[in-house]
Amino acid sequence: MTQANQLNTFLWFKAGQLDEAIPFYQAIFSDFKVNHLNPMGPNGPLFTAGFSIHGHQLIGMAVEGGPDFNDSISLSLSVDGQDEVDRLWDALTADGGEPGRCGWLKDRFGVSWQVTPFQMGAYLGNPDSAIREYAQQAMMKMTKIVIKDFEK
């Protein structure tokens, strides 16, 4: 039996970080699923791990001297409501994460995330150009997205 074509996101962690990242993400995302864990040697740290968040497949690899992540690629979370934005923002920026602009942040491993409520689209995609422009200007001033700040 062959596996169908599939697109996965590959994340290259520094040595030892993958062992920390799996339980970190597992505590944040209720539907987090581990598909496989491959340690280096019989009792060594993780070398590769396959996992999914909200059904999106990711593969992590940890290697000594691995590269730093950068903002050119991010994992985008479209969520329902301010409470979920706040929960994810707080969890992902905990323990050394960094807030960015316009809903972007970096977690403690340097992985870049976007956390945005789907309700934001009603403002940014509004047929009324004044509402759209106000929302765009408001968003540019935000770090974490705050839905009520899109309202005049």
Side-chain angles (χ1 to χ4, degrees):
M1 179 177 192
T2 60
Q3 189 173 7
N5 294 343
Q6 185 174 330
L7 177 66
N8 296 307
T9 300
F10 192 94
L11 302 173
W12 191 355
F13 293 86
K14 293 187 182 302
Q17 286 187 332
L18 188 54
D19 292 281
E20 298 174 28
I22 296 297
F24 178 76
Y25 298 138
Q26 197 164 28
I28 295 171
F29 300 102
S30 62
D31 64 348
F32 184 92
K33 181 181 174 193
V34 173
N35 301 321
H36 71 271
L37 300 172
N38 297 322
M40 282 187 164
N43 296 313
L46 284 176
F47 176 59
T48 63
F51 54 97
S52 65
I53 299 172
H54 299 319
H56 181 82
Q57 301 297 315
L58 298 110
I59 299 169
M61 181 176 78
V63 176
E64 192 67 43
D68 291 326
F69 291 106
N70 66 54
D71 293 332
S72 64
I73 300 287
S74 61
L75 300 177
S76 179
L77 296 166
S78 179
V79 303
D80 187 7
Q82 192 65 51
D83 289 345
E84 187 65 355
V85 169
D86 294 346
R87 184 187 76 78
L88 289 168
W89 188 272
D90 293 345
L92 289 167
T93 58
D95 301 322
E98 300 174 13
R101 292 186 52 204
C102 305
W104 263 274
L105 65 88
K106 285 187 181 182
D107 68 23
R108 71 185 200 195
F109 307 105
V111 176
S112 185
W113 296 80
Q114 297 174 58
V115 181
T116 56
F118 72 78
Q119 293 85 352
M120 187 170 82
Y123 299 98
L124 295 174
N126 197 288
D128 183 326
S129 63
I131 293 172
R132 250 190 346 264
E133 187 172 314
Y134 181 85
Q136 290 170 351
Q137 294 301 318
M139 183 184 70
M140 296 304 291
K141 297 174 187 171
M142 296 180 196
T143 53
K144 176 177 68 175
I145 299 297
V146 178
I147 298 169
K148 70 176 179 63
D149 290 352
F150 288 117
E151 301 168 3
K152 287 187 176 185

